[in-house]
Amino acid sequence: SYHLTSIYDHSIFEAFSKVVQKLIPQLATLENLLDILISNSRMEKAYLVDVASKIYIASDTTYVDMQQYELCSDMIDVVIDVSCICLLYTSDAADEEDSV
C-alpha cells in the first residue's frame, strides 16, 4: 500500500509508523494493552512512541487523528528540548561545585 507524505507536515512519521507496525507480530497485543490503559486512566488516546524517531510503534484502536499525533510529536520535541536544558544546567552546577 502507499502512503501520501509531505516534508511540510508529520505525514512522513505516520507513513513510517504504518510500515513499522506491519513488521511487529505482537501489534494486536500492544493495541489491546493501550486500550486497557486508556479505559483505566480516562485518557483520550495512547501511543507507544520511539522518542528518537517520533514514530509510533502502536496506538490504541481508536481512530488516529493526524492533528492529535502532530501535537503529541511536538510535545515530545518540547520535552526533549527542556530535558537537554536541564541536563546542561545541572552539569554546569555540578562542575561549579567540583571547582570549589
Side-chain angles (χ1 to χ4, degrees), residues 42 49-50 66-67 73 82 84 95:
R42 295 188 225 158
V49 179
D50 174 45
M66 225 15 227
Q67 289 179 335
S73 180
V82 169
C84 288
D95 289 343

Side-chain angles (χ1 to χ4, degrees), residues 46-99:
Y47 296 99
L48 178 61
V49 179
D50 174 45
V51 176
S53 64
K54 289 185 279 183
I55 293 174
Y56 65 94
I57 310 302
S59 69
D60 62 279
T61 55
T62 61
Y63 174 74
V64 175
D65 180 20
M66 225 15 227
Q67 289 179 335
Q68 209 174 33
Y69 173 67
E70 288 177 8
L71 178 64
C72 291
S73 180
D74 291 341
M75 291 174 74
I76 290 171
D77 283 338
V78 169
V79 169
I80 290 171
D81 292 344
V82 169
S83 65
C84 288
I85 292 169
C86 290
L87 286 175
L88 287 174
Y89 177 74
T90 56
S91 66
D92 287 346
D95 289 343
E96 287 179 10
E97 287 178 9
D98 290 341
S99 65

Side-chain angles (χ1 to χ4, degrees), residues 5-6 8 14 19-20 24 30 34 40 43 45 52 54-55 57 59 63 68 75 80-81 90 93:
T5 61
S6 171
Y8 300 108
E14 184 179 20
V19 170
V20 168
I24 299 174
L30 291 172
L34 291 171
N40 290 331
M43 292 179 177
K45 184 76 180 160
K54 289 185 279 183
I55 293 174
I57 310 302
S59 69
Y63 174 74
Q68 209 174 33
M75 291 174 74
I80 290 171
D81 292 344
T90 56

